[in-house]
Amino acid sequence: MSAREDEYADRLVEHEGRLYYQRFSVVQRVQHILLFSSFFALIATGMPLLFAGSPLVRHMFFFEGAYELRGLIHRVAAVVLLAASVFHVFYVLFSVRGNSDLRRMVVWIDDIRQAFAMLSFNLGRSGEPPRFDRFNFIEKFEYYAAAWGSAIMLATGACLWFPVQATLVFPRPVLDIIRVIHGFEAILAFLAVIIWHMYNVHLNPEVFPMSRVWMNGRMELEHLAEHHPLEFERMLRHIPADMAGRVRAQMGVHFPSGPTVSGAVTT
């Protein structure tokens, strides 16, 4: 069995008698949990500094030592985010699965074409949506936005955590600019996660009230075939014939001459 066959055989898993596509491994899901838990902790303990005079913040920090506790939680969350980020870099560079997903995450000219094709479809100017691979252009944008945002927040946060050392490198006015960047980047990241990411993965009518992929890593084969048809077709080509037969039987569709999936699944 080739490496590609091994990869897809591992991604096709059985649960309660049904086959699923294992979109995220345990290691990937743990990284995601560390990322969003540290992110929300940083937002919850960082935003009060931006709106310190508001009645809500005064009610939240009414007891003695509240701001010191806020600072402690903020720094612990920053360390968790830093550790998760460093681990993720090593994971995508040196693990088979992480490196495979990183290669699929590279932005190509087709992603730009698919973005315009999706816009055309949403405007009713084309009858078919673009056919996506393992990651669509929205998921790639979110991934790079998270990576870029984490790098900015960690770098500026380190300067604010160690201001004396930072002023040995930068003039004092630069530190003030870094503080502004840190605050506005936090607001931008919060709005992007709440409005865009949460809608795409949880509030979208197709997955509402919540996609469980982030918890168990499993994606329905029908969802994979409809939203990531190129990945689904590649999987069918590389899994053993008996497993491909089980996939076809479970989905109740027949592929007479190769995996022309998207049309078959929607019929």
Side-chain angles (χ1 to χ4, degrees):
M1 184 176 288
S2 68
R4 182 64 61 85
E5 290 171 336
D6 277 339
E7 175 186 354
Y8 282 101
D10 289 342
R11 286 180 183 266
L12 196 60
V13 298
E14 184 170 356
H15 178 70
E16 296 182 346
R18 287 181 60 81
L19 294 174
Y20 293 84
Y21 177 76
Q22 191 73 34
R23 185 156 169 84
F24 299 121
S25 67
V26 173
V27 177
Q28 290 171 321
R29 300 200 301 274
V30 170
Q31 291 178 68
H32 179 249
I33 291 172
L34 291 175
L35 173 63
F36 77 72
S37 58
S38 60
F39 171 78
F40 283 115
L42 287 166
I43 290 296
T45 54
M47 286 295 182
L49 293 182
L50 297 177
F51 307 99
S54 71
L56 176 61
V57 172
R58 288 201 298 270
H59 280 86
M60 289 175 60
F61 296 89
F62 65 93
F63 57 92
E64 185 177 356
Y67 270 95
E68 288 76 9
L69 178 61
R70 179 214 64 80
L72 176 62
I73 296 175
H74 196 77
R75 287 170 173 77
V76 170
V79 171
V80 172
L81 177 61
L82 174 63
S85 300
V86 171
F87 178 85
H88 181 70
V89 171
F90 280 91
Y91 176 76
V92 298
L93 290 180
F94 301 111
S95 74
V96 174
R97 181 154 187 161
N99 195 257
S100 172
D101 282 353
L102 180 63
R103 291 172 187 271
R104 301 285 182 195
M105 195 60 78
V106 173
V107 175
W108 300 99
I109 189 68
D110 277 351
D111 293 297
I112 299 174
R113 293 195 186 102
Q114 289 178 345
F116 283 104
M118 180 57 82
L119 178 63
S120 178
F121 174 73
N122 288 335
L123 293 175
R125 296 187 176 183
S126 67
E128 293 288 337
R131 305 179 77 240
F132 296 119
D133 207 324
R134 184 177 299 177
F135 302 109
N136 61 38
F137 68 92
I138 296 175
E139 292 161 337
K140 291 182 179 182
F141 180 85
E142 288 185 322
Y143 176 79
Y144 288 113
W148 172 255
S150 297
I152 292 292
M153 295 303 291
L154 288 170
T156 55
C159 294
L160 299 176
W161 192 349
F162 304 102
V164 175
Q165 291 79 358
T167 52
L168 296 177
V169 181
F170 307 109
R172 178 71 189 185
V174 174
L175 195 60
D176 294 332
I177 296 173
I178 288 174
R179 181 175 290 102
V180 173
I181 293 174
H182 194 75
F184 278 101
E185 174 62 28
I187 294 174
L188 180 63
F190 177 70
L191 293 177
V193 169
I194 293 298
I195 296 175
W196 194 3
H197 183 69
M198 293 296 286
Y199 172 78
N200 283 327
V201 299
H202 297 307
L203 303 180
N204 186 317
E206 294 183 348
V207 296
F208 185 82
M210 180 180 68
S211 168
R212 297 181 181 274
V213 175
W214 71 274
M215 292 191 297
N216 55 35
R218 297 189 298 270
M219 175 179 282
E220 296 276 356
L221 293 178
E222 291 79 2
H223 188 91
L224 176 69
E226 181 176 355
H227 294 277
H228 304 276
L230 300 182
E231 171 73 351
F232 180 77
E233 293 169 7
R234 188 183 303 109
M235 180 187 72
L236 280 183
R237 289 196 299 270
H238 290 96
I239 58 178
D242 60 328
M243 295 180 72
R246 286 192 61 190
V247 170
R248 294 184 176 93
Q250 176 176 306
M251 298 177 68
V253 293
H254 176 58
F255 311 119
S257 57
T260 53
V261 179
S262 58
V265 170
T266 54
T267 57

